[in-house]
Amino acid sequence: MKLLVIEDDQALGRALRSGLSSAGFGVDVATTLGAATKLRRVNRYDLIALDLGMPDGDGIEFLTDLRKSASATPVIVLTARGTVTERVDGLNAGADDYLAKPFALPELVARIRALLRRPASSLPPTLTFTNVEYDPAAFVARCDGRLLGLTVKEMALLEYLLTHRDTLVTRTMLLDHCWDDAYDGLSNLVDVHIGHLRRKLETAGARCRIRTVRGAGFVFEETE
C-alpha cells in the first residue's frame, strides 16, 4: 500500500517516512500542498495523511478540492488543531479520521490499517491464493497455515501480487506501489526482493509461483 504524507515539518516528515516504511508501506512525503498536488497527478495513493497548517495554504482547502474531484482516497488529518470545532470542520470537509499532535506512531499505523480495511477500500480482510494467504490487518503471511517469515518489503510485494494475480505486473508498477519516490530507479532492487520472496514461497511449498516474463515483469500464478 502506498501513502502520501503531507507535512511541512521536515523532521516529522522524515520520522513518519521511516516509521511507516518500517510498517510495510510505501511512503512519499510532500512539504507543501503544491508538491502534494503534483505527486497526486503522477501516483495513485491508497491513503493520504494530511497536516492542515501548510506554508502555501490550508489543508482544509486541499481536502475540499480533493473531494470535489470525486476522489475517494481515505484521508487522515494529522494536526495540532485539537478543538472539537476544528475536528468537526475537518471531518465535514471530507476527512475519514483525525489524529491530534502529538501522537504515537503505533496508533497512527493502527488507524491507517483500520481505514484501509473499510468497505470502500478494494482490499479484502484476507487475501488468499491457492494455499498462500496474507492478512493485511495482522500484517502476517502464511502458507498452509504456517508463517512465511517475510520482511516488510516482501510483505508489500506479496500483497500487490495477490491483488493482481494472473496478470502481468511490471517492475515500474511494483516500484511505484511498494517504494517511495527516493528509490534508485536504475537499480535491480525489485528483482532482488522478488527473488527472496520467490524462494521463500517455494521453500514453504506454495502452490503458486512468481513467473518472470522477460523484459516485461512478473505474473503471480498457480503452479501446474
Side-chain angles (χ1 to χ4, degrees):
M1 309 296 282
K2 188 158 187 173
L3 314 180
L4 173 60
V5 174
I6 306 174
E7 171 59 62
D8 65 322
D9 185 323
Q10 295 189 18
L12 179 55
R14 288 192 296 270
L16 290 174
R17 184 200 294 272
S18 176
L20 293 172
S21 296
S22 296
F25 299 106
V27 183
D28 288 346
V29 177
T31 56
T32 65
L33 296 177
T37 299
K38 290 179 181 178
L39 284 170
R40 283 196 62 248
R41 288 173 182 161
V42 297
N43 298 302
R44 189 189 76 80
Y45 294 101
D46 298 289
L47 181 140
I48 296 173
L50 172 65
D51 181 23
L52 297 184
M54 299 298 290
D56 57 340
D58 193 316
I60 290 291
E61 296 178 5
F62 176 89
L63 180 55
T64 300
D65 291 340
L66 181 73
R67 294 307 183 220
K68 285 181 179 178
S69 70
S71 171
T73 303
V75 175
I76 181 169
V77 170
L78 309 176
T79 181
R81 303 178 189 178
T83 69
V84 172
T85 299
E86 289 166 333
R87 290 198 300 270
V88 170
D89 288 343
L91 294 170
N92 285 340
D96 297 274
D97 199 358
Y98 199 110
L99 189 57
K101 298 177 180 177
F103 54 82
L105 181 64
E107 181 180 3
L108 174 59
V109 172
R111 286 174 178 261
I112 288 173
R113 294 199 183 281
L115 286 175
L116 294 174
R117 290 198 302 271
R118 288 186 176 179
S121 172
S122 61
L123 186 65
T126 300
L127 299 167
T128 304
F129 187 42
T130 65
N131 59 336
V132 174
E133 64 178 33
Y134 170 68
D135 183 347
F139 203 50
V140 168
R142 294 183 174 88
C143 179
D144 283 329
R146 298 186 299 274
L147 291 176
L148 279 170
L150 305 182
T151 66
V152 291
K153 191 59 65 179
E154 290 161 4
M155 290 271 203
L157 290 169
L158 177 62
E159 177 185 297
Y160 195 80
L161 291 170
L162 282 167
T163 56
H164 296 80
R165 59 180 183 256
D166 292 322
T167 61
L168 178 67
V169 173
T170 67
R171 290 170 177 81
T172 299
M173 291 166 67
L174 291 172
L175 283 168
D176 286 346
H177 192 82
C178 301
W179 275 268
D180 59 40
D181 57 356
Y183 70 82
D184 178 3
L186 298 178
S187 73
N188 67 337
L189 79 170
V190 172
D191 296 82
V192 170
H193 286 284
I194 284 288
H196 293 326
L197 176 58
R198 179 186 284 126
R199 284 191 289 275
K200 289 181 180 181
L201 289 170
E202 291 174 349
T203 300
R207 296 195 296 273
C208 45
R209 64 175 182 173
I210 305 171
R211 177 169 59 88
T212 299
V213 180
R214 188 170 182 179
F218 311 94
V219 176
F220 195 42
E221 61 187 13
E222 188 172 357
T223 53
E224 299 177 356

